[in-house]
């Protein structure tokens, strides 16, 4: 789990990113979560846009994306979801340390 400080850091890092996936009328699919998992391995931090024609609740979509991609839900703001997952092979983001 991410701490509040780490989430703030990741929100700032994600600010300039553009969404690379869109969730539309079909909702969240297995194929989509597989692609998001692969993108997270490369990028670690991504944005996903929920389109207006998506019939599911945005909070449910965000949680389904995070669970399906085995990632952390950093933020849901408006219809934009920010996801983070530490990369095994392409580590780029260094999170602030957790105070003990």
């Amino acid at each position: 789990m991410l701490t509040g400080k780490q989430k703030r850091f990741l929100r700032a890092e994600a600010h300039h990113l553009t969404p690379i996936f869109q969730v539309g009328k079909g909702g969240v699919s297995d194929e989509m979560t597989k692609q998001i998992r692969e993108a997270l391995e490369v990028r670690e931090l991504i944005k996903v846009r929920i389109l207006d024609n998506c019939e599911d609740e945005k909070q449910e979509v965000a949680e389904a994306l995070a669970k399906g991609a085995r990632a952390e839900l950093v933020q849901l703001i408006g219809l934009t979801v920010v996801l983070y997952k530490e990369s095994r092979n392409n580590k780029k983001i260094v999170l602030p340390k957790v105070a003990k």
Side-chain angles (χ1 to χ4, degrees):
M1 290 297 291
L2 295 171
T3 65
K5 184 176 183 179
Q6 290 170 329
K7 283 188 177 184
R8 277 193 303 278
F9 172 79
L10 289 170
R11 283 197 298 266
E13 290 290 305
H15 180 73
H16 67 280
L17 299 178
T18 52
I20 58 171
F21 289 98
Q22 295 180 330
V23 179
K25 195 173 178 113
V28 179
S29 67
D30 291 341
E31 183 60 30
M32 179 185 294
T33 54
K34 179 176 173 284
Q35 290 176 345
I36 289 173
R37 240 190 333 267
E38 291 167 0
L40 281 164
E41 176 57 33
V42 175
R43 298 172 182 235
E44 293 188 305
L45 188 65
I46 64 168
K47 279 186 180 176
V48 181
R49 177 94 172 113
I50 302 171
L51 299 177
D52 292 331
N53 67 353
C54 183
E55 295 166 351
D56 302 325
E57 286 291 320
K58 63 182 184 177
Q59 187 65 41
E60 289 172 18
V61 171
E63 289 168 7
L65 288 171
K67 187 174 180 209
R70 299 184 202 105
E72 291 279 349
L73 175 59
V74 176
Q75 183 178 39
L76 171 61
I77 184 160
L79 293 173
T80 303
V81 181
V82 179
L83 297 173
Y84 168 77
K85 183 176 184 189
E86 187 174 323
S87 174
R88 285 196 211 107
N89 306 317
N90 301 303
K91 185 118 179 70
K92 296 181 187 95
I93 299 172
V94 179
L95 291 173
K97 295 283 182 247
V98 180
K100 298 258 190 269

